[in-house]
Amino acid sequence: MSQYQLNTARPVRAAFVILVRNSELIGMKRTMRQIEDRFNAKFNYPYIFLNDVPFTEEFKVETAAMTKANVTFGVIPHEHWSYPAWINQTYASECRQNMSKQGVFYALSESYRHMCRFNSGFFFRHPLLKEIDYYWRIEPDVEYSCDIDYDPFLYMHRNGIKYGYTIALHEYPETIPTLWATVKDFITSHPSFVRHEMGYKWLSYDGGVSYNGCHFWSNFEIGSLSLFRSPEYLEYFDYLDKAGGFFYERWGDAPVHSIAAALLLKKEELHWFKDIGYYHNPWFNCPLDKESRLRCHCDPKKSAVHHYWASCTKEWINLPDSNSTQHNGINNVTTSI
């Protein structure tokens, strides 16, 4: 079994990247304890903590004590966690009130919207991530229920994988009423953005008329930062950002990431980490095969893959392996939207 020593070069430049509040210290320590016990005590990847305000000394001391690996703490630039000039804040407030009347989760929260916008378009630009190529997103109060005896970063690097997930769900449509229309407008003006026809079909059951809500649940992500740093993704995010849906609606980073990954990447460049036991309330990913279950304590009967709301996982896996890739746009798709 591979083991990386402290203060030695690793085959992949990678880190855990965590957006967290000072008030989430205990939940963060719970997650770190599991990550260390299940994986990182053997591999010693560094942690990068980000916050929109400075971390307290208590937070820094207590999280650093959970690991022998390097730990750094960063503050998000103000321009990455604030209203851009083109947003009408009065209208945004009215939109939040209307969404609250509809019973939308986090309808009134401004910080939730800043978080989604930051994770969609800015986390990978933070200076602390400048020297890494892969990231593993972790959050407070999640559970890792299986020993991870290999290096997922190295596995992705060797196999040309750019995005990894554990659970794929349907999004709440009331949070993103105009997201798909905005994406289609972007594709019309940037047809080369659609490189993966099968991915397009995964996102829509009716030939592109509507978005089915399928997305990779982004509270667990292991990814190559080359995807988000690419000119195609940056243009895509900038277009969405100018449309205002992060504030006038409640566009999440999960569908924003997922739509881009499904359209820009081939099927083999995305990977379901079905062997990583993971829980984020209310969903589980629990390995189903007998060999994996020998190193897990989760209940495979509770795995999200059995549930309709998480059927997007099976639908992605069931896509044909022979992917159609066209770098000059997909005519039969773009004409149907």
Side-chain angles (χ1 to χ4, degrees):
M1 180 175 63
S2 172
Q3 184 171 344
Y4 307 151
Q5 300 300 318
L6 289 169
N7 303 316
T8 60
R10 289 160 185 75
V12 181
R13 302 196 308 173
F16 299 105
V17 177
I18 309 106
L19 177 62
V20 61
R21 303 183 185 94
N22 287 306
S23 60
E24 295 173 308
L25 171 60
I26 301 304
M28 193 67 251
K29 290 171 66 176
R30 289 194 190 103
T31 296
M32 290 183 71
R33 181 72 279 141
Q34 293 185 50
I35 284 286
E36 288 295 312
D37 291 347
R38 294 298 194 178
F39 169 74
N40 204 46
K42 300 182 286 286
F43 293 93
N44 292 304
Y45 277 104
Y47 292 80
I48 299 173
F49 289 95
L50 301 176
N51 196 346
D52 64 306
V53 299
F55 284 104
T56 63
E57 283 303 308
E58 177 188 33
F59 188 99
K60 291 190 284 188
V61 169
E62 294 194 20
T63 51
M66 300 301 294
T67 179
K68 294 180 180 179
N70 187 53
V71 179
T72 54
F73 303 89
V75 177
I76 296 168
H78 175 73
E79 61 270 23
H80 295 172
W81 197 281
S82 58
Y83 288 101
W86 58 85
I87 295 298
N88 182 328
Q89 294 188 45
T90 300
Y91 178 58
S93 177
E94 294 172 356
C95 292
R96 292 195 300 274
Q97 295 297 326
N98 290 334
M99 295 186 81
S100 178
K101 294 174 183 177
Q102 299 172 35
V104 175
F105 291 121
Y106 302 110
L108 296 176
S109 176
E110 293 179 80
S111 63
Y112 191 89
R113 289 167 169 80
H114 288 302
M115 175 194 72
C116 291
R117 179 174 180 256
F118 174 76
N119 280 330
S120 294
F122 297 106
F123 83 92
F124 50 87
R125 310 186 209 211
H126 195 281
L128 290 180
L129 277 68
K130 184 178 180 180
E131 300 301 321
I132 70 169
D133 300 317
Y134 292 83
Y135 74 102
W136 183 335
R137 176 172 164 178
I138 62 174
E139 296 197 349
D141 289 310
V142 298
E143 297 179 12
Y144 286 84
S145 54
C146 303
D147 290 335
I148 305 170
D149 294 327
Y150 68 100
D151 183 346
F153 294 123
L154 185 58
Y155 177 83
M156 293 180 70
H157 178 67
R158 286 177 171 172
N159 291 281
I161 299 167
K162 295 184 178 179
Y163 190 88
Y165 66 98
T166 54
I167 299 169
L169 303 167
H170 291 279
E171 181 62 291
Y172 296 109
E174 59 271 19
T175 66
I176 53 167
T178 68
L179 174 59
W180 189 242
T182 307
V183 170
K184 291 195 293 183
D185 288 343
F186 174 77
I187 291 172
T188 298
S189 57
H190 300 77
S192 62
F193 184 77
V194 181
R195 296 179 174 178
H196 180 201
E197 186 174 354
M198 291 298 105
Y200 194 98
K201 292 179 179 178
W202 180 71
L203 296 166
S204 177
Y205 297 143
D206 55 15
V209 176
S210 63
Y211 174 40
N212 60 20
C214 276
H215 66 281
F216 306 111
W217 213 21
S218 61
N219 49 69
F220 175 102
E221 289 182 324
I222 306 179
S224 169
L225 290 171
S226 65
L227 168 63
F228 302 105
R229 291 168 173 163
S230 68
E232 295 89 349
Y233 185 87
L234 293 174
E235 285 186 318
Y236 162 77
F237 169 74
D238 187 59
Y239 192 93
L240 298 186
D241 198 26
K242 292 295 196 301
F246 291 108
F247 298 106
Y248 300 145
E249 296 176 12
R250 209 216 68 192
W251 293 357
D253 54 275
V256 171
H257 284 188
S258 301
I259 291 171
L263 297 181
L264 284 173
L265 304 179
K266 301 176 185 179
K267 182 183 177 184
E268 59 266 27
E269 293 178 304
L270 288 94
H271 181 68
W272 176 28
F273 281 102
K274 60 183 179 180
D275 58 330
I276 294 182
Y278 177 72
Y279 172 73
H280 182 297
N281 187 37
W283 297 105
F284 290 88
N285 183 67
C286 187
L288 305 180
D289 64 286
K290 292 182 179 180
E291 182 178 351
S292 293
R293 286 165 59 185
L294 295 176
R295 53 182 179 76
C296 304
H297 68 252
C298 55
D299 183 352
K301 294 179 182 178
K302 295 183 179 179
S303 193
V305 73
H306 301 303
H307 197 285
Y308 164 75
W309 202 255
S311 63
C312 300
T313 301
K314 288 183 178 179
E315 291 169 10
W316 179 266
I317 297 301
N318 289 335
L319 288 177
D321 289 331
S322 55
N323 296 309
S324 173
T325 303
Q326 298 184 14
H327 292 270
N328 294 317
I330 299 176
N331 293 331
N332 64 325
V333 170
T334 55
T335 57
S336 68
I337 56 177

